[in-house]
Amino acid sequence: MKKRLFCNLKTLIPALGLAGATILGGGCKDKNEPEITPDPIVQPDPLPEQEPEFIPPHDVTYEFGYNNFSAFKPIYYFSITVDSAEVENVYIKSDEKDWLFSPVSYIKKQIDEILMFASPENAYKVSGQGTLHQVYIDVISDSVKLSKFGFQFDNTTRVLDPIYMSTKQKQK
C-alpha cells in the first residue's frame, strides 16, 4: 500500500507541476516579439440634426359621384387628412356627373357617414363643393343642409308637399 501510494505521488507531483505551468502560462516575454495593440473602436460621427421638412398649409379635395365613393376608401385616410395640421380645408367635391335622379336623402346619408370620421374639433375644415346634377329632392331639409354645406343643384326634381297633393277642396 505504501509502495502504491508512493508511485501515485511520483506521478502526481509532475502532473500537478505541468498543469500549473500551463495554467500560469509563460510569464516571460521575448523582447523581440512585437507588442499587439487592439485597434481603437471608432464611433460613427453623429448625423447632423436635420430640421423637419416644412410643409406649407394646403387644401385637399376628395371627389365623389353617383355610386363612386372610392376616394374615401380606406376611410381612415380621410380622418388623417382632416386631423393634419398642414391641411387648412378639406373639400368634398362632386364629380359633376349625373346622379340619375338619386334621392337627396341618399346623398346626405353618404356624406354624413363620411363626416362621422372627422374629429369634432376639426370638422369645421370640411365643406362641399360642386354641383349635383339630376337629383331627386325627396326631403327638403336634406337639400337645404347640402346647400349650406356647399353644394349646388342643377336639373332637379322635387316631390310635392303633401298639403298640395290633395285634389279635394275643403267643404265649408
Side-chain angles (χ1 to χ4, degrees):
M1 177 97 167
K2 242 188 200 184
K3 194 172 187 179
R4 190 172 176 179
L5 183 62
F6 182 68
C7 278
N8 284 343
L9 284 177
K10 272 176 145 178
T11 57
L12 185 61
I13 293 175
L16 286 175
L18 183 61
T22 57
I23 289 173
L24 295 175
C28 301
K29 269 190 164 183
D30 186 11
K31 291 183 182 180
N32 295 330
E33 190 175 312
E35 190 172 314
I36 299 175
T37 57
D39 291 335
I41 298 174
V42 178
Q43 295 290 333
D45 292 335
L47 293 174
E49 218 172 283
Q50 296 177 352
E51 291 185 27
E53 184 180 336
F54 176 72
I55 300 174
H58 59 281
D59 296 339
V60 176
T61 302
Y62 286 90
E63 193 171 85
F64 76 102
Y66 176 73
N67 288 333
N68 181 15
F69 288 88
S70 61
F72 299 99
K73 294 178 184 170
I75 193 70
Y76 59 84
Y77 286 141
F78 176 75
S79 62
I80 291 171
T81 302
V82 172
D83 290 338
S84 174
E86 290 90 15
V87 175
E88 285 184 336
N89 298 305
V90 178
Y91 295 110
I92 299 175
K93 184 179 180 193
S94 170
D95 64 359
E96 303 291 328
K97 295 180 183 172
D98 291 342
W99 279 83
L100 304 175
F101 295 102
S102 296
V104 169
S105 59
Y106 168 76
I107 299 169
K108 183 176 179 312
K109 179 183 172 217
Q110 296 296 322
I111 296 216
D112 285 345
E113 287 177 6
I114 292 165
L115 292 177
M116 283 178 25
F117 291 93
S119 59
E121 59 270 5
N122 290 321
Y124 71 93
K125 293 181 180 183
V126 184
S127 62
Q129 199 177 50
T131 304
L132 303 173
H133 297 278
Q134 291 188 357
V135 294
Y136 173 68
I137 299 177
D138 58 338
V139 180
I140 295 174
S141 62
D142 286 349
S143 65
V144 170
K145 288 177 185 175
L146 286 175
S147 180
K148 286 182 178 180
F149 190 64
F151 292 110
Q152 297 174 355
F153 296 94
D154 181 42
N155 196 17
T156 61
T157 302
R158 180 176 161 232
V159 66
L160 292 176
D161 290 332
I163 58 171
Y164 300 117
M165 294 178 99
S166 173
T167 56
K168 294 183 181 178
Q169 293 183 350
K170 291 185 178 179
Q171 300 289 329
K172 287 190 179 185

